[in-house]
Amino acid sequence: MRELTSDTITDAVLEQMATTPDPRMREVMEAAVKHLHAFAREVNLTPGEWIKGIAFMTAVGKMCTAERQEFVLLSDTLGLSALVNGLHDETAIEEGTHTSLLGPFYREASPKLEAGTQIARTVKPGSECVLYGRVTDVNGGPLANATVSIWQTGADGLYDIQEQGAAIDYRGVFTTDTNGVYVLRTVKPIGYSIPMDGPVGEMIAAQKRHGMRPAHIHFLVGAPGYRELVTALYLRDDPHLADDVVFGSSGDLAVDLDRSDPNCPIKGLPSIRFDMRLSREGEADKTSGRVGTDPAAIMRSAKTGNGQTHAPAAS
Ligand SMILES: [Fe+2]
């Protein structure tokens, strides 16, 4: 038997895992072990630091509930979600609107609403605005009957899902018309802090990061034959547009609140226009491209052991 040392341990693990029948699982786990071992060697990881890391990951797991997904938040704040989104965008057969984070606050059970509906249950005077845009293919051809799911925070900077037992608010599912246009009423979103009362918040505070996200509205768009799009619009005048704590914002997704847009389908209100281009479906779209999910779906999946955590948006 060979002697195991800090130099030979990596190869010993890889040899033992070489029996993995699933080739993709073998590839991913081999790389994970190589990089984990390399990380430990690079920082000369001490036993105390290792146990602190284990305690941190345990705390992240314990913070997860049907309303909160702390692991998605951890992935987001480490830039891993944005990286996986970027890698996914590169697999599209056409360049459509870029992906942004699904985040930890997506909820599958959003109501289907008529065009023009106000999605906020309460609207403070002066905060109402119109949100509209066109969903097209990459050549600008309209996509009729596309499903456009939208969610955002309320005026307090919280999602409905963060308020215990809260009813559905600030979210809804709309359908595009024959010109590919969706339109709804909402309130102007504001920037907000990610939840700072858990282990991820402690990490952010320890790193002296501000924890803020720029004002944004999330979108999940589906149309038969096209790649599902998970993205978000960002308000250009937000001071944190360039230093989003979860690395979701980018210049190509930034839009303005317009007080006199002659093309707005609902007159008399300020408006935000956000057009989206969808790539045709390709080989890479046989599996979901979502990075994040409804926290309740993750809890269900953990209980049943079923890896399927969501249904396609276009269904
Ligand atoms: Fe968000």
Side-chain angles (χ1 to χ4, degrees):
M1 183 185 160
R2 99 173 126 194
E3 192 183 342
L4 285 183
T5 68
S6 59
D7 290 326
T8 63
I9 182 70
T10 305
D11 285 342
V13 176
L14 296 180
E15 267 175 46
Q16 198 172 116
M17 295 196 320
T19 51
T20 309
D22 181 331
R24 178 60 177 166
M25 184 183 179
R26 187 165 66 243
E27 181 186 6
V28 170
M29 288 303 298
E30 279 182 4
V33 166
K34 280 183 197 168
H35 287 272
L36 267 174
H37 287 206
F39 153 72
R41 287 189 187 97
E42 182 180 328
V43 301
N44 199 14
L45 194 68
T46 68
E49 290 163 343
W50 175 84
I51 197 69
K52 197 172 173 184
I54 296 285
F56 173 73
M57 299 293 272
T58 304
V60 170
K62 285 186 171 176
M63 188 57 78
C64 293
T65 66
E67 290 81 34
R68 179 161 178 172
Q69 232 308 327
E70 195 81 355
F71 264 114
V72 172
L73 192 63
L74 178 60
S75 170
D76 292 355
T77 52
L78 295 179
L80 181 61
S81 303
L83 170 60
V84 176
N85 276 334
L87 294 171
H88 178 65
D89 277 352
E90 288 168 16
T91 66
I93 59 170
E94 298 168 317
E95 189 176 1
T97 298
H98 288 166
T99 298
S100 189
L101 305 176
L102 185 74
F105 303 119
Y106 169 65
R107 201 167 172 173
E108 285 179 2
S110 289
K112 289 199 167 168
L113 302 172
E114 292 295 317
T117 303
Q118 169 59 257
I119 58 171
R121 293 162 81 90
T122 52
V123 179
K124 283 187 181 165
S127 66
E128 187 171 33
C129 65
V130 177
L131 172 60
Y132 81 104
R134 286 183 81 220
V135 179
T136 67
D137 62 23
V138 295
N139 300 312
L143 296 182
N145 293 316
T147 305
V148 181
S149 183
I150 285 161
W151 65 106
Q152 66 174 86
T153 62
D156 54 1
L158 292 176
Y159 288 88
D160 57 1
I161 206 169
Q162 292 176 280
E163 307 193 52
Q164 203 69 24
I168 298 255
D169 202 0
Y170 298 104
R171 59 179 85 221
V173 181
F174 295 84
T175 306
T176 56
D177 66 14
T178 51
N179 296 314
V181 174
Y182 69 92
V183 57
L184 60 136
R185 289 176 174 83
T186 183
V187 294
K188 186 186 175 203
I190 58 166
Y192 64 82
S193 171
I194 59 162
M196 295 292 283
D197 59 344
V200 173
E202 278 176 36
M203 177 192 78
I204 295 295
Q207 294 168 336
K208 303 288 183 208
R209 293 161 70 185
H210 53 63
M212 292 296 292
R213 294 218 65 201
H216 61 277
I217 298 177
H218 294 275
F219 288 81
L220 191 153
V221 182
Y226 290 82
R227 163 174 281 212
E228 181 182 79
L229 174 65
V230 179
T231 192
L233 67 77
Y234 294 86
L235 290 186
R236 205 183 314 272
D237 62 357
D238 192 289
H240 290 298
L241 186 68
D243 61 359
D244 184 352
V245 69
V246 297
F247 311 96
S249 61
S250 70
D252 58 319
L253 301 175
V255 293
D256 298 295
L257 185 79
D258 194 329
R259 299 194 180 276
S260 56
D261 176 1
N263 299 314
C264 179
I266 299 174
K267 306 296 178 199
L269 287 172
S271 61
I272 299 168
R273 177 173 181 165
F274 188 57
D275 296 340
M276 289 168 281
R277 299 177 315 280
L278 269 54
S279 163
R280 281 175 296 134
E281 220 165 33
E283 193 62 23
D285 299 308
K286 286 181 177 164
T287 56
S288 172
R290 296 184 196 178
V291 182
T293 185
D294 183 339
I298 286 193
M299 298 306 279
R300 278 201 304 276
S301 145
K303 272 185 193 144
T304 61
N306 178 356
Q308 199 66 37
T309 54
H310 48 70
S315 63

Short mmCIF file of all heavy atoms in Angstrom, two decimals, residues 47-102:
data_model
loop_
_atom_site.label_atom_id
_atom_site.label_comp_id
_atom_site.label_asym_id
_atom_site.label_seq_id
_atom_site.Cartn_x
_atom_site.Cartn_y
_atom_site.Cartn_z
N PRO A 47 -6.51 23.39 10.69
CA PRO A 47 -7.71 22.67 11.19
C PRO A 47 -8.76 23.64 11.71
O PRO A 47 -9.96 23.44 11.49
CB PRO A 47 -7.14 21.79 12.30
CG PRO A 47 -5.73 21.56 11.91
CD PRO A 47 -5.27 22.84 11.26
N GLY A 48 -8.35 24.70 12.42
CA GLY A 48 -9.32 25.67 12.96
C GLY A 48 -10.09 26.38 11.85
O GLY A 48 -11.30 26.60 11.96
N GLU A 49 -9.39 26.72 10.78
CA GLU A 49 -10.06 27.39 9.65
C GLU A 49 -10.99 26.43 8.92
O GLU A 49 -12.07 26.80 8.47
CB GLU A 49 -9.00 27.95 8.68
CG GLU A 49 -8.25 29.13 9.26
CD GLU A 49 -6.96 29.42 8.52
OE1 GLU A 49 -6.46 28.55 7.76
OE2 GLU A 49 -6.42 30.53 8.70
N TRP A 50 -10.55 25.18 8.83
CA TRP A 50 -11.39 24.17 8.17
C TRP A 50 -12.70 24.01 8.93
O TRP A 50 -13.78 24.02 8.34
CB TRP A 50 -10.61 22.85 8.08
CG TRP A 50 -11.41 21.72 7.54
CD1 TRP A 50 -11.63 21.41 6.22
CD2 TRP A 50 -12.13 20.74 8.31
NE1 TRP A 50 -12.44 20.31 6.13
CE2 TRP A 50 -12.76 19.88 7.39
CE3 TRP A 50 -12.30 20.51 9.68
CZ2 TRP A 50 -13.55 18.80 7.80
CZ3 TRP A 50 -13.08 19.44 10.08
CH2 TRP A 50 -13.69 18.61 9.14
N ILE A 51 -12.64 23.89 10.26
CA ILE A 51 -13.87 23.68 11.05
C ILE A 51 -14.74 24.93 11.02
O ILE A 51 -15.97 24.86 11.02
CB ILE A 51 -13.55 23.23 12.51
CG1 ILE A 51 -14.79 22.60 13.18
CG2 ILE A 51 -13.03 24.35 13.36
CD1 ILE A 51 -15.22 21.28 12.61
N LYS A 52 -14.11 26.11 10.92
CA LYS A 52 -14.87 27.36 10.81
C LYS A 52 -15.65 27.35 9.48
O LYS A 52 -16.82 27.76 9.42
CB LYS A 52 -13.92 28.56 10.85
CG LYS A 52 -14.60 29.86 11.15
CD LYS A 52 -13.56 30.97 11.37
CE LYS A 52 -14.28 32.32 11.50
NZ LYS A 52 -13.34 33.43 11.61
N GLY A 53 -15.02 26.86 8.45
CA GLY A 53 -15.69 26.76 7.14
C GLY A 53 -16.85 25.77 7.19
O GLY A 53 -17.93 26.03 6.65
N ILE A 54 -16.63 24.63 7.86
CA ILE A 54 -17.71 23.64 8.01
C ILE A 54 -18.87 24.25 8.79
O ILE A 54 -20.05 24.08 8.43
CB ILE A 54 -17.18 22.38 8.74
CG1 ILE A 54 -16.11 21.67 7.91
CG2 ILE A 54 -18.34 21.43 9.10
CD1 ILE A 54 -16.60 20.88 6.73
N ALA A 55 -18.55 24.98 9.87
CA ALA A 55 -19.60 25.62 10.69
C ALA A 55 -20.38 26.64 9.85
O ALA A 55 -21.60 26.76 9.95
CB ALA A 55 -18.98 26.28 11.91
N PHE A 56 -19.67 27.38 9.01
CA PHE A 56 -20.31 28.38 8.16
C PHE A 56 -21.28 27.71 7.18
O PHE A 56 -22.45 28.12 7.05
CB PHE A 56 -19.24 29.18 7.40
CG PHE A 56 -19.81 30.12 6.38
CD1 PHE A 56 -20.44 31.29 6.77
CD2 PHE A 56 -19.74 29.84 5.02
CE1 PHE A 56 -20.98 32.17 5.84
CE2 PHE A 56 -20.27 30.70 4.08
CZ PHE A 56 -20.90 31.86 4.49
N MET A 57 -20.82 26.67 6.51
CA MET A 57 -21.69 25.98 5.54
C MET A 57 -22.90 25.35 6.26
O MET A 57 -24.02 25.34 5.72
CB MET A 57 -20.92 24.89 4.79
CG MET A 57 -19.75 25.41 3.99
SD MET A 57 -20.26 26.43 2.59
CE MET A 57 -20.49 25.19 1.36
N THR A 58 -22.68 24.82 7.46
CA THR A 58 -23.78 24.26 8.25
C THR A 58 -24.81 25.34 8.56
O THR A 58 -26.02 25.13 8.42
CB THR A 58 -23.25 23.64 9.56
OG1 THR A 58 -22.26 22.66 9.22
CG2 THR A 58 -24.36 22.96 10.35
N ALA A 59 -24.33 26.53 8.96
CA ALA A 59 -25.23 27.64 9.27
C ALA A 59 -25.99 28.09 8.03
O ALA A 59 -27.18 28.41 8.10
CB ALA A 59 -24.43 28.80 9.87
N VAL A 60 -25.33 28.09 6.90
CA VAL A 60 -26.01 28.46 5.64
C VAL A 60 -27.14 27.48 5.36
O VAL A 60 -28.26 27.87 5.03
CB VAL A 60 -25.00 28.50 4.46
CG1 VAL A 60 -25.73 28.65 3.13
CG2 VAL A 60 -24.02 29.65 4.63
N GLY A 61 -26.87 26.20 5.53
CA GLY A 61 -27.90 25.18 5.30
C GLY A 61 -29.07 25.32 6.27
O GLY A 61 -30.23 25.23 5.87
N LYS A 62 -28.74 25.57 7.54
CA LYS A 62 -29.81 25.68 8.56
C LYS A 62 -30.68 26.91 8.34
O LYS A 62 -31.81 26.95 8.81
CB LYS A 62 -29.20 25.71 9.97
CG LYS A 62 -28.72 24.33 10.42
CD LYS A 62 -28.27 24.36 11.86
CE LYS A 62 -28.00 22.94 12.34
NZ LYS A 62 -27.47 22.92 13.70
N MET A 63 -30.17 27.91 7.65
CA MET A 63 -30.94 29.14 7.40
C MET A 63 -31.95 28.94 6.27
O MET A 63 -32.85 29.75 6.08
CB MET A 63 -29.96 30.27 7.06
CG MET A 63 -30.54 31.66 6.97
SD MET A 63 -31.42 32.23 8.43
CE MET A 63 -30.07 32.70 9.50
N CYS A 64 -31.83 27.84 5.52
CA CYS A 64 -32.71 27.64 4.37
C CYS A 64 -34.08 27.13 4.82
O CYS A 64 -34.18 26.21 5.63
CB CYS A 64 -32.10 26.63 3.40
SG CYS A 64 -30.60 27.23 2.62
N THR A 65 -35.13 27.76 4.29
CA THR A 65 -36.50 27.35 4.55
C THR A 65 -37.26 27.43 3.23
O THR A 65 -36.67 27.76 2.19
CB THR A 65 -37.19 28.31 5.55
OG1 THR A 65 -37.31 29.59 4.91
CG2 THR A 65 -36.41 28.45 6.84
N ALA A 66 -38.57 27.17 3.28
CA ALA A 66 -39.39 27.28 2.08
C ALA A 66 -39.49 28.72 1.60
O ALA A 66 -39.91 28.98 0.48
CB ALA A 66 -40.78 26.72 2.33
N GLU A 67 -39.12 29.68 2.45
CA GLU A 67 -39.18 31.10 2.06
C GLU A 67 -37.80 31.70 1.83
O GLU A 67 -37.70 32.82 1.35
CB GLU A 67 -39.88 31.94 3.13
CG GLU A 67 -41.37 31.71 3.27
CD GLU A 67 -41.69 30.47 4.10
OE1 GLU A 67 -40.92 30.18 5.04
OE2 GLU A 67 -42.68 29.79 3.79
N ARG A 68 -36.76 30.98 2.19
CA ARG A 68 -35.43 31.60 2.12
C ARG A 68 -34.39 30.59 1.65
O ARG A 68 -34.33 29.48 2.16
CB ARG A 68 -35.05 32.12 3.51
CG ARG A 68 -33.68 32.75 3.55
CD ARG A 68 -33.55 33.63 4.76
NE ARG A 68 -32.21 34.23 4.84
CZ ARG A 68 -31.88 35.16 5.71
NH1 ARG A 68 -32.78 35.59 6.56
NH2 ARG A 68 -30.67 35.66 5.72
N GLN A 69 -33.56 30.99 0.68
CA GLN A 69 -32.55 30.10 0.14
C GLN A 69 -31.17 30.74 0.33
O GLN A 69 -30.67 31.48 -0.51
CB GLN A 69 -32.82 29.83 -1.36
CG GLN A 69 -32.84 28.37 -1.71
CD GLN A 69 -31.61 27.60 -1.25
OE1 GLN A 69 -30.51 28.13 -1.19
NE2 GLN A 69 -31.79 26.35 -0.90
N GLU A 70 -30.58 30.46 1.49
CA GLU A 70 -29.30 31.10 1.84
C GLU A 70 -28.15 30.61 0.95
O GLU A 70 -27.21 31.35 0.70
CB GLU A 70 -29.00 30.83 3.32
CG GLU A 70 -27.90 31.71 3.92
CD GLU A 70 -28.38 33.10 4.32
OE1 GLU A 70 -29.55 33.44 4.05
OE2 GLU A 70 -27.57 33.84 4.90
N PHE A 71 -28.24 29.39 0.44
CA PHE A 71 -27.17 28.90 -0.44
C PHE A 71 -27.17 29.63 -1.78
O PHE A 71 -26.11 29.91 -2.34
CB PHE A 71 -27.29 27.38 -0.66
CG PHE A 71 -26.43 26.59 0.26
CD1 PHE A 71 -26.99 25.76 1.22
CD2 PHE A 71 -25.04 26.67 0.20
CE1 PHE A 71 -26.20 25.03 2.10
CE2 PHE A 71 -24.24 25.95 1.06
CZ PHE A 71 -24.82 25.13 2.02
N VAL A 72 -28.38 29.94 -2.30
CA VAL A 72 -28.43 30.72 -3.53
C VAL A 72 -27.83 32.11 -3.27
O VAL A 72 -27.05 32.64 -4.08
CB VAL A 72 -29.88 30.84 -4.06
CG1 VAL A 72 -29.93 31.83 -5.23
CG2 VAL A 72 -30.39 29.48 -4.54
N LEU A 73 -28.13 32.67 -2.11
CA LEU A 73 -27.58 33.98 -1.74
C LEU A 73 -26.05 33.90 -1.65
O LEU A 73 -25.34 34.81 -2.10
CB LEU A 73 -28.18 34.42 -0.41
CG LEU A 73 -27.95 35.87 0.00
CD1 LEU A 73 -28.60 36.84 -0.99
CD2 LEU A 73 -28.49 36.13 1.40
N LEU A 74 -25.54 32.82 -1.08
CA LEU A 74 -24.08 32.65 -0.98
C LEU A 74 -23.48 32.57 -2.39
O LEU A 74 -22.49 33.23 -2.70
CB LEU A 74 -23.77 31.37 -0.19
CG LEU A 74 -22.28 31.03 -0.04
CD1 LEU A 74 -21.52 32.13 0.68
CD2 LEU A 74 -22.11 29.70 0.70
N SER A 75 -24.09 31.76 -3.24
CA SER A 75 -23.61 31.64 -4.62
C SER A 75 -23.63 33.00 -5.32
O SER A 75 -22.70 33.37 -6.03
CB SER A 75 -24.50 30.63 -5.37
OG SER A 75 -24.23 30.65 -6.74
N ASP A 76 -24.72 33.76 -5.08
CA ASP A 76 -24.85 35.07 -5.71
C ASP A 76 -23.76 36.04 -5.24
O ASP A 76 -23.14 36.74 -6.04
CB ASP A 76 -26.22 35.69 -5.38
CG ASP A 76 -27.39 34.95 -6.03
OD1 ASP A 76 -27.15 34.02 -6.83
OD2 ASP A 76 -28.55 35.30 -5.72
N THR A 77 -23.52 36.07 -3.92
CA THR A 77 -22.58 37.05 -3.37
C THR A 77 -21.13 36.68 -3.65
O THR A 77 -20.24 37.52 -3.53
CB THR A 77 -22.76 37.21 -1.85
OG1 THR A 77 -22.71 35.92 -1.24
CG2 THR A 77 -24.09 37.88 -1.52
N LEU A 78 -20.88 35.42 -4.02
CA LEU A 78 -19.53 35.01 -4.40
C LEU A 78 -19.31 35.14 -5.91
O LEU A 78 -18.24 34.77 -6.42
CB LEU A 78 -19.26 33.57 -3.96
CG LEU A 78 -19.24 33.32 -2.44
CD1 LEU A 78 -18.98 31.85 -2.14
CD2 LEU A 78 -18.19 34.21 -1.75
N GLY A 79 -20.34 35.60 -6.62
CA GLY A 79 -20.19 35.76 -8.07
C GLY A 79 -20.33 34.46 -8.84
O GLY A 79 -20.20 34.46 -10.07
N LEU A 80 -20.58 33.35 -8.15
CA LEU A 80 -20.69 32.06 -8.85
C LEU A 80 -21.94 32.02 -9.72
O LEU A 80 -21.90 31.53 -10.85
CB LEU A 80 -20.70 30.91 -7.83
CG LEU A 80 -20.79 29.51 -8.42
CD1 LEU A 80 -19.59 29.20 -9.32
CD2 LEU A 80 -20.88 28.45 -7.31
N SER A 81 -23.05 32.56 -9.22
CA SER A 81 -24.29 32.56 -10.01
C SER A 81 -24.09 33.36 -11.30
O SER A 81 -24.50 32.93 -12.38
CB SER A 81 -25.43 33.16 -9.20
OG SER A 81 -25.61 32.47 -7.98
N ALA A 82 -23.47 34.54 -11.17
CA ALA A 82 -23.25 35.37 -12.36
C ALA A 82 -22.32 34.67 -13.35
O ALA A 82 -22.51 34.74 -14.57
CB ALA A 82 -22.68 36.73 -11.96
N LEU A 83 -21.32 33.96 -12.83
CA LEU A 83 -20.41 33.22 -13.70
C LEU A 83 -21.14 32.10 -14.44
O LEU A 83 -20.99 31.94 -15.66
CB LEU A 83 -19.25 32.63 -12.87
CG LEU A 83 -18.34 31.64 -13.57
CD1 LEU A 83 -17.65 32.27 -14.77
CD2 LEU A 83 -17.29 31.09 -12.60
N VAL A 84 -21.96 31.33 -13.71
CA VAL A 84 -22.70 30.24 -14.34
C VAL A 84 -23.69 30.79 -15.38
O VAL A 84 -23.85 30.23 -16.47
CB VAL A 84 -23.42 29.36 -13.28
CG1 VAL A 84 -24.27 28.28 -13.94
CG2 VAL A 84 -22.39 28.70 -12.37
N ASN A 85 -24.31 31.93 -15.05
CA ASN A 85 -25.18 32.59 -16.03
C ASN A 85 -24.42 32.96 -17.30
O ASN A 85 -24.89 32.75 -18.42
CB ASN A 85 -25.78 33.87 -15.44
CG ASN A 85 -27.02 33.61 -14.61
OD1 ASN A 85 -27.71 32.64 -14.82
ND2 ASN A 85 -27.29 34.48 -13.67
N GLY A 86 -23.23 33.53 -17.11
CA GLY A 86 -22.42 33.95 -18.26
C GLY A 86 -22.01 32.76 -19.12
O GLY A 86 -22.05 32.81 -20.36
N LEU A 87 -21.62 31.65 -18.47
CA LEU A 87 -21.25 30.43 -19.20
C LEU A 87 -22.45 29.90 -19.97
O LEU A 87 -22.32 29.43 -21.12
CB LEU A 87 -20.73 29.36 -18.24
CG LEU A 87 -19.42 29.69 -17.51
CD1 LEU A 87 -19.14 28.65 -16.43
CD2 LEU A 87 -18.26 29.76 -18.50
N HIS A 88 -23.63 29.98 -19.34
CA HIS A 88 -24.86 29.51 -20.01
C HIS A 88 -25.16 30.38 -21.23
O HIS A 88 -25.52 29.85 -22.29
CB HIS A 88 -26.02 29.54 -19.02
CG HIS A 88 -27.33 29.13 -19.61
ND1 HIS A 88 -27.57 27.85 -20.07
CD2 HIS A 88 -28.47 29.83 -19.85
CE1 HIS A 88 -28.79 27.78 -20.56
NE2 HIS A 88 -29.37 28.97 -20.43
N ASP A 89 -25.02 31.68 -21.10
CA ASP A 89 -25.27 32.58 -22.24
C ASP A 89 -24.39 32.19 -23.44
O ASP A 89 -24.81 32.29 -24.59
CB ASP A 89 -25.00 34.04 -21.86
CG ASP A 89 -26.19 34.68 -21.14
OD1 ASP A 89 -27.26 34.04 -21.08
OD2 ASP A 89 -26.04 35.81 -20.64
N GLU A 90 -23.16 31.76 -23.15
CA GLU A 90 -22.23 31.42 -24.24
C GLU A 90 -22.67 30.16 -25.00
O GLU A 90 -22.17 29.90 -26.09
CB GLU A 90 -20.82 31.23 -23.67
CG GLU A 90 -20.18 32.55 -23.25
CD GLU A 90 -18.91 32.36 -22.43
OE1 GLU A 90 -18.35 31.24 -22.43
OE2 GLU A 90 -18.49 33.33 -21.78
N THR A 91 -23.59 29.38 -24.42
CA THR A 91 -24.03 28.16 -25.11
C THR A 91 -25.25 28.41 -26.01
O THR A 91 -25.73 27.49 -26.67
CB THR A 91 -24.41 27.05 -24.11
OG1 THR A 91 -25.57 27.47 -23.36
CG2 THR A 91 -23.27 26.72 -23.17
N ALA A 92 -25.77 29.64 -26.02
CA ALA A 92 -26.95 29.93 -26.85
C ALA A 92 -26.55 29.91 -28.32
O ALA A 92 -25.43 30.26 -28.68
CB ALA A 92 -27.53 31.29 -26.48
N ILE A 93 -27.49 29.50 -29.18
CA ILE A 93 -27.18 29.46 -30.61
C ILE A 93 -27.27 30.85 -31.23
O ILE A 93 -26.78 31.08 -32.33
CB ILE A 93 -28.07 28.45 -31.37
CG1 ILE A 93 -29.56 28.80 -31.23
CG2 ILE A 93 -27.80 27.03 -30.91
CD1 ILE A 93 -30.45 27.98 -32.16
N GLU A 94 -27.91 31.79 -30.53
CA GLU A 94 -27.99 33.18 -30.99
C GLU A 94 -27.80 34.07 -29.77
O GLU A 94 -28.09 33.68 -28.65
CB GLU A 94 -29.37 33.47 -31.59
CG GLU A 94 -29.70 32.64 -32.80
CD GLU A 94 -31.16 32.74 -33.20
OE1 GLU A 94 -32.04 32.70 -32.32
OE2 GLU A 94 -31.41 32.87 -34.40
N GLU A 95 -27.33 35.30 -30.00
CA GLU A 95 -27.12 36.19 -28.86
C GLU A 95 -28.37 37.01 -28.60
O GLU A 95 -28.67 37.96 -29.31
CB GLU A 95 -25.92 37.11 -29.10
CG GLU A 95 -25.59 37.88 -27.82
CD GLU A 95 -24.35 38.75 -27.93
OE1 GLU A 95 -23.74 38.77 -29.02
OE2 GLU A 95 -24.02 39.41 -26.94
N GLY A 96 -29.10 36.62 -27.56
CA GLY A 96 -30.28 37.38 -27.16
C GLY A 96 -29.93 38.31 -26.01
O GLY A 96 -28.76 38.59 -25.75
N THR A 97 -30.97 38.78 -25.34
CA THR A 97 -30.76 39.58 -24.12
C THR A 97 -30.00 38.74 -23.11
O THR A 97 -30.27 37.55 -22.95
CB THR A 97 -32.12 39.99 -23.54
OG1 THR A 97 -32.80 40.80 -24.51
CG2 THR A 97 -31.96 40.78 -22.25
N HIS A 98 -29.03 39.37 -22.45
CA HIS A 98 -28.20 38.61 -21.52
C HIS A 98 -28.97 38.22 -20.25
O HIS A 98 -29.91 38.90 -19.85
CB HIS A 98 -26.96 39.42 -21.15
CG HIS A 98 -25.99 39.51 -22.29
ND1 HIS A 98 -24.94 40.40 -22.32
CD2 HIS A 98 -25.94 38.84 -23.46
CE1 HIS A 98 -24.29 40.26 -23.46
NE2 HIS A 98 -24.86 39.31 -24.17
N THR A 99 -28.51 37.14 -19.67
CA THR A 99 -29.10 36.61 -18.44
C THR A 99 -28.69 37.47 -17.25
O THR A 99 -27.59 38.03 -17.23
CB THR A 99 -28.60 35.16 -18.26
OG1 THR A 99 -29.05 34.39 -19.36
CG2 THR A 99 -29.10 34.55 -16.98
N SER A 100 -29.58 37.55 -16.27
CA SER A 100 -29.20 38.08 -14.96
C SER A 100 -29.75 37.13 -13.91
O SER A 100 -30.40 36.14 -14.25
CB SER A 100 -29.71 39.51 -14.78
OG SER A 100 -29.17 40.08 -13.60
N LEU A 101 -29.52 37.42 -12.65
CA LEU A 101 -29.80 36.43 -11.61
C LEU A 101 -31.28 36.14 -11.42
O LEU A 101 -32.09 37.06 -11.35
CB LEU A 101 -29.23 36.94 -10.29
CG LEU A 101 -27.75 37.29 -10.30
CD1 LEU A 101 -27.34 37.86 -8.97
CD2 LEU A 101 -26.93 36.06 -10.64
N LEU A 102 -31.61 34.89 -11.28
CA LEU A 102 -32.96 34.52 -10.84
C LEU A 102 -33.10 34.89 -9.36
O LEU A 102 -34.16 35.34 -8.92
CB LEU A 102 -33.18 33.02 -11.03
CG LEU A 102 -34.58 32.50 -10.73
CD1 LEU A 102 -35.55 32.89 -11.83
CD2 LEU A 102 -34.60 30.98 -10.57
#
